[in-house]
Structures are given as structure tokens and as C-alpha cells.
């Protein structure tokens, strides 16, 4: 596997707009707006449900929930992956909950209606009480399911555009990294007092780094961080192992190293306070030193990263997929995050899938799934800082004097999420964003309708 990295020396803002983009704040807390999302958007978009390792063997199943919607992903006896709406055709009870393995059938625990793993109805207790009931008329309601690399996506719309079309340029853009060699070792679901969009916005811009993440500001270039928007998807790049050009002071190599260790040390297998190596190759920068340590950490678990240069090891490729997913990718590490609506517009959940590159052909590793509150969650310094502001953000959106979010072009991945949302919801012009620049982006979401 080889890759020639083409680095664009562009800043994160790009071409400044004529004026800020104004987004109505009520989108983040209005029950009526949340209802529109539930009716017109969530049933028609591809959503990440789980990993291939959750449903690798016949009889494996995984329940995916998004607000009021629930879908079952099931590996059939024939090895085929299928998805169904998680609802018994009798009285509407959920057929399964959670995840597991060894299923031989799908049986409703309320009255015992039973389907095979392909969704065909096989048994109805006391069937004669229903009169003429044709079993073939009551299969589980199907949902669309597809995989990209080791990620499993579902869509309530069985006539949706193909997943790879929905993902646009992203699969080709990440081809160099070989995502098939990554294995998910844990998923973390965090209950948050914030709307799903409030959560998603936090991983859709770097504008907050200089204030919220001062440690990260000392080891990451948040200025020359080019962004691309394709339609449903977008991308941002940030180089780590260097200090931000916004800093007024010139940091020493050791200060950059210390900041990287405190924020990203796990990526190279070192703990807080680990000293910078005294020896380095002639002419090597601190970025080269961190990259070399990362390669050594990979080698300790049998992974050969000799193909990856310093830029490939140290550059974060961050992809956003409408409506609620981001993929954070380095040559040796992957984190996937999604946000989901909660029981009301002021609550949601953040789901983090944690991955590590393994040697080619590494066996399946069943992920550990844990759930916790925001107060209990401490997924590293930076993400803990991100989570800590969400509840306050959500409260602020309700204040009567705050009518609109005021967004810059650096936040254009947030703007693009709202642009797609407006298309799916078919909002009248009076309820749409204002300001910014007219969009010349392909109407990817409109093509779905």
C-alpha cells in the first residue's frame, strides 16, 4: 500500500463570505422541528448502525436506535446481512433489544409471533383465532442495509440511493489508508443533555480549538486546515505535531511533544509525562520524532507502517457524513462518532467507535459496548473538554435574545449539514438560513427525494 500525500496550503476559512450565515436557533430545541426531522429526514438517510464485527456470524444481531426508530441488523443462517424494522407485526412490540449472538429465530416476547432470520413469519400461537391469516403476508418489515469497509449502515427507505453513491468521494479519498485492516475494540454511548445537532456541530469545525483546547492548540495546525464539501459529505485536514500558527510564542520541540502527549499520547503508546526521546535522526523535527514513535508502537503489535511518511502518520483526515457521523482517521488510528436524537430535542447521545490498525488478516475482535452519562465519560482530555460544554450550549440556545447562530466560513461543514437538512425537510424559504454565500454544491440530498 502506497500513497503520495498532496498537501494543500489552504487555511480553514477559505474564501470569506460576504456576510455571516445565520441559522435559526429554534432548530436545536423546537419539538415541531424535531418532528419534521423524524418524519422527513431520519427515515430517508443512511446511518451508521454498528461494525461488521458486531454481526459477523450467523445468528448475530444488533439493535440500532435513532430516536423513536429501531432497526435490527441480523446475520442470517445463509451468511447474508439483513435489516428489519424492529416491530412485531401483531401489536407493535419490539422483537429484539441490544445485541448478541446465537439466534436461531426472531421471537416476540409478548405473544410469541416468530420469524426466521430471513424475516419470514413461521409461527403464530393460536392462529385459528385470526381467521384466515396468510403467513406470507406478515414478514418483518425490511430496511436497507449495506457495508462500507467494516462499517454497517442502515436506511429505513428500502429504495434509497446506494450507500456508495451517498458517500460520494469519501471512499475513494480514504482508499490509501486501508480501513479494512482496522478493528473496532470498543463502542462508548454517552447520554448528553443536548440536541443531536449540538453534539454533531462540535466535531464539524476547528474554530473552537484555540479557546476550548489550549493544549491541542500547542500541537496542531488549526490555520492551514483545508476543507472540502462534496454534498452529503465533507472533509477537513489538520497536521499534528506542530504548534498553531496563531500562537504568538515560538514553542520548543519539547513543549510541542508535551502537548501532543497530553492530548494524543495514546496514539503512540505513551503515558502522560513521558519525556521526549533525546536521540533523533539528523535533521528530524519533533513531528518526525512523534511519527517514528507511532510507527514503533504499531510495530509492537505486528503492524508495518513503514509505507507511511511523517505527513501520513501525523495528518488527521476528518470526514463528515450527513446527518450525524464523523470519521477521524490517521494512518494508524480511527475514531468514528455519531450523534442521535434523544427522548426530546434537548437530549441526545454521542456514540464513539474506537478502532486500531491490526496486522492484515487479524481475526474478528468483538467490540466491548459500554453506556454512561456525560458526567461519567472521560474519553481523553480533548473529547472530555468537548463533552463538558454541550449542556451549556443547549441551555444558551433557549435564551429569548438568541434567535440565530452566527456562523463563519470556517464552520462551513456545520452550514452544509443545515443545507442538507433544509433540503430533506423541504423548508419554506422563510425558515431557511440567510447570509453567507449562494451554494454551488451539487444538490445531493435533493436527488434522494
Amino acid at each position: 500500500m502506497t500513497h503520495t500525500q498532496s498537501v494543500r496550503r489552504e487555511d480553514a476559512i477559505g474564501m470569506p463570505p460576504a456576510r455571516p450565515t445565520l441559522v435559526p436557533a429554534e432548530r436545536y430545541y423546537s419539538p415541531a422541528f424535531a418532528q419534521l426531522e423524524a418524519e422527513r429526514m431520519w427515515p430517508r438517510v443512511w446511518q451508521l448502525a454498528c461494525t461488521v464485527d458486531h454481526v459477523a456470524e450467523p445468528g448475530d444481531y444488533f439493535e440500532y436506535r435513532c430516536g423513536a426508530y429501531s432497526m435490527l441488523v441480523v446475520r442470517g443462517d445463509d451468511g447474508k446481512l439483513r435489516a428489519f424494522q424492529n416491530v412485531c407485526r401483531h401489536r407493535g412490540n419490539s422483537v429484539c433489544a441490544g445485541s448478541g449472538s446465537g439466534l436461531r429465530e426472531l421471537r416476540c416476547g409478548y405473544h410469541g409471533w416468530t420469524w426466521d432470520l430471513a424475516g419470514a413469519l413461521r409461527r403464530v400461537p393460536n392462529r385459528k383465532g385470526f381467521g384466515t391469516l396468510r403467513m406470507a403476508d406478515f414478514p418483518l418489515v425490511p430496511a436497507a442495509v449495506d457495508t462500507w469497509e467494516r462499517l454497517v449502515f442502515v436506511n429505513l427507505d428500502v429504495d434509497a440511493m446506494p450507500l456508495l453513491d451517498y458517500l460520494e468521494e469519501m471512499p475513494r479519498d480514504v482508499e490509501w489508508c486501508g480501513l479494512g485492516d482496522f478493528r473496532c475494540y470498543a463502542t462508548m454511548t454517552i447520554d448528553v443533555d443536548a440536541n443531536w445537532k449540538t453534539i454533531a456541530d462540535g466535531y464539524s469545525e476547528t474554530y473552537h480549538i484555540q479557546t476550548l483546547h489550549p493544549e491541542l492548540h500547542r500541537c496542531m495546525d488549526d490555520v492551514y486546515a483545508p476543507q472540502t464539501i462534496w454534498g452529503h459529505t465533507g472533509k477537513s485536514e489538520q497536521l499534528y505535531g506542530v504548534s498553531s500558527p496563531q500562537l504568538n510564542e515560538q514553542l520548543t520541540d519539547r513543549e510541542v511533544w508535551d502537548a501532543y502527549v497530553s492530548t494524543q499520547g495514546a496514539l503512540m503508546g505513551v503515558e502522560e509525562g513521558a519525556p521526549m526521546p533525546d536521540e533523533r535522526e539528523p535533521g528530524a523535527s519533533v513531528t518526525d520524532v512523534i511519527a517514528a514513535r507511532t510507527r514503533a508502537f504499531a510495530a509492537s503489535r505486528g503492524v508495518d507502517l513503514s509505507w507511511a511518511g511523517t505527513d501520513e502518520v501525523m495528518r488527521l483526515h476528518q470526514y463528515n457524513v450527513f446527518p450525524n457521523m464523523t470519521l477521524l482517521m490517521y494512518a494508524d488510528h480511527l475514531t468514528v462518532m455519531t450523534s442521535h436524537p434523544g427522548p426530546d430535542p434537548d437530549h441526545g447521545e454521542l456514540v464513539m467507535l474506537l478502532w486500531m490498525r491490526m496486522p492484515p488478516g487479524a481475526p474478528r475482535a468483538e467490540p466491548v459496548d459500554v453506556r454512561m452519562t456525560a458526567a461519567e465519560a472521560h474519553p481523553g482530555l480533548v473529547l472530555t473538554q468537548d463533552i463538558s460544554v454541550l449542556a451549556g450550549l443547549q441551555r444558551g440556545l433557549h435564551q429569548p435574545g438568541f434567535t440565530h447562530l452566527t456562523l463563519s466560513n470556517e464552520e462551513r461543514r456545520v452550514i452544509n449539514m443545515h443545507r442538507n437538512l433544509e433540503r430533506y425537510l423541504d423548508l419554506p424559504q422563510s425558515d431557511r438560513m440567510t447570509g453567507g454565500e449562494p451554494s454551488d454544491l451539487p444538490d445531493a440530498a435533493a436527488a434522494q427525494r
Side-chain angles (χ1 to χ4, degrees), residues 327-372:
L327 183 150
L328 304 162
M329 186 194 77
Y330 297 93
D332 192 45
H333 196 79
L334 173 67
T335 300
V336 180
M337 298 192 293
T338 59
S339 61
H340 305 138
D344 59 63
D346 286 318
H347 293 85
E349 61 182 26
L350 168 64
V351 180
M352 300 174 55
L353 292 84
L354 309 176
W355 306 69
M356 186 174 289
R357 185 184 290 280
M358 298 300 290
R364 170 195 183 192
E366 189 169 354
V368 176
D369 300 321
V370 296
R371 187 170 196 123
M372 62 194 67

Side-chain angles (χ1 to χ4, degrees), residues 385-406:
Q385 290 169 338
D386 286 327
I387 293 168
S388 70
V389 302
L390 293 174
L393 274 168
Q394 190 65 29
R395 284 193 300 273
L397 292 163
H398 281 272
Q399 305 314 304
F402 186 81
T403 59
H404 292 80
L405 288 73
T406 307

Side-chain angles (χ1 to χ4, degrees), residues 390-441:
L390 293 174
L393 274 168
Q394 190 65 29
R395 284 193 300 273
L397 292 163
H398 281 272
Q399 305 314 304
F402 186 81
T403 59
H404 292 80
L405 288 73
T406 307
L407 303 182
S408 82
N409 203 45
E410 196 283 334
E411 298 163 294
R412 60 186 177 273
R413 285 177 289 148
V414 178
I415 296 169
N416 189 54
M417 183 271 288
H418 281 281
R419 183 180 292 119
N420 277 293
L421 195 56
E422 290 179 346
R423 292 169 178 157
Y424 275 88
L425 302 191
D426 197 21
L427 295 181
Q429 196 62 41
S430 59
D431 292 341
R432 297 193 171 215
M433 296 181 292
T434 58
E437 293 286 348
S439 172
D440 60 356
L441 297 174

